[in-house]
Amino acid sequence: LLINKDSVRSDDEEKKTIEEIVLQFKAGNRAAVIPVLQAIQDKLGYLSPYATEKTANITGVSINTVYGVATFYSQFLFVKPARHQIRVCRGTACYVRGTSTILQAIERTLGIKEGETTPDGEYSLETVACIGACAFAPTIRIDEDTYGQLTPKKIEELFSRRSKQEEAHEGNAGE
Ligand code: FES
């Protein structure tokens, strides 16, 4: 498994990205609030306070107005998504073969509950309907990867392997 560190952006990089995006829009166009917000969210996955501030600057409306527009539409998110999304299948096949023990093992390993994100922003955890790999139940997905025939022990091994790979990747990046 490859941990893609390129997807990790520092605050400064995020700010620079936001600045580049807003520059693509004509200044003073109040009708551009939603397109600007959409462009930022498409790129970063959420809207930070800096994003709403810059949107207000470029479109010439107040930050409050931008905020009001953004909160009106449920498509806009204000919390940074975790770098990796864990989805535990709670479909029937997985459920009968141990979804709850798998979920508990992940919760124990990462120290978070369903619906939460690890404090370092690395993983979020949720349960989802059948992910279409019932023959391999119980299953989970981490981002685009599917893992099947899981046991609590395999969960521990999986996350310990991932964190070792990540450390190795960070080590290489620093060389
Ligand atoms: S029920 Fe889990 S993959 Fe179908």
Side-chain angles (χ1 to χ4, degrees):
L1 267 183
L2 231 189
I3 311 274
N4 181 8
K5 279 306 217 182
D6 295 341
S7 62
V8 180
R9 291 187 189 83
S10 72
D11 283 357
D12 283 351
E13 284 169 350
E14 246 186 49
K15 284 186 175 175
K16 202 163 149 256
T17 304
I18 291 167
E19 283 155 16
E20 284 167 3
I21 291 170
V22 297
L23 282 178
Q24 293 163 13
F25 291 84
K26 207 162 93 254
N29 179 8
R30 301 171 68 88
V33 170
I34 292 178
V36 175
L37 292 175
Q38 262 163 350
I40 296 171
Q41 178 157 302
D42 283 353
K43 190 79 181 176
L44 300 177
Y46 83 117
L47 301 173
S48 64
Y50 192 70
T52 46
E53 182 191 325
K54 284 287 154 191
T55 304
N57 290 351
I58 193 77
T59 56
V61 304
S62 71
I63 293 179
N64 276 350
T65 305
V66 173
Y67 210 72
V69 169
T71 48
F72 182 78
Y73 295 96
S74 57
Q75 86 217 53
F76 293 120
L77 305 174
F78 297 95
V79 178
K80 193 173 188 164
R83 282 184 284 278
H84 303 290
Q85 276 86 43
I86 304 167
R87 298 183 173 93
V88 178
C89 179
R90 59 173 146 69
T92 309
C94 288
Y95 183 79
V96 297
R97 300 188 82 159
T99 291
S100 54
T101 55
I102 297 305
L103 184 61
Q104 281 163 15
I106 298 172
E107 289 177 339
R108 211 170 39 241
T109 306
L110 298 182
I112 54 170
K113 294 277 175 206
E114 182 185 351
E116 293 180 351
T117 297
T118 52
D120 61 1
E122 196 66 16
Y123 294 106
S124 62
L125 177 61
E126 61 180 329
T127 60
V128 293
C130 175
I131 58 177
C134 311
F136 302 97
T139 63
I140 66 168
R141 277 178 78 85
I142 303 179
D143 303 328
E144 301 307 315
D145 300 319
T146 303
Y147 300 87
Q149 297 178 329
L150 291 167
T151 60
K153 189 165 167 20
K154 283 184 185 170
I155 290 290
E156 276 169 35
E157 288 166 359
L158 171 65
F159 284 101
S160 119
R161 206 161 59 232
R162 283 182 70 98
S163 62
K164 277 189 197 132
Q165 279 167 340
E166 192 171 352
E167 276 165 28
H169 191 90
E170 277 171 1
N172 290 339
E175 279 167 11

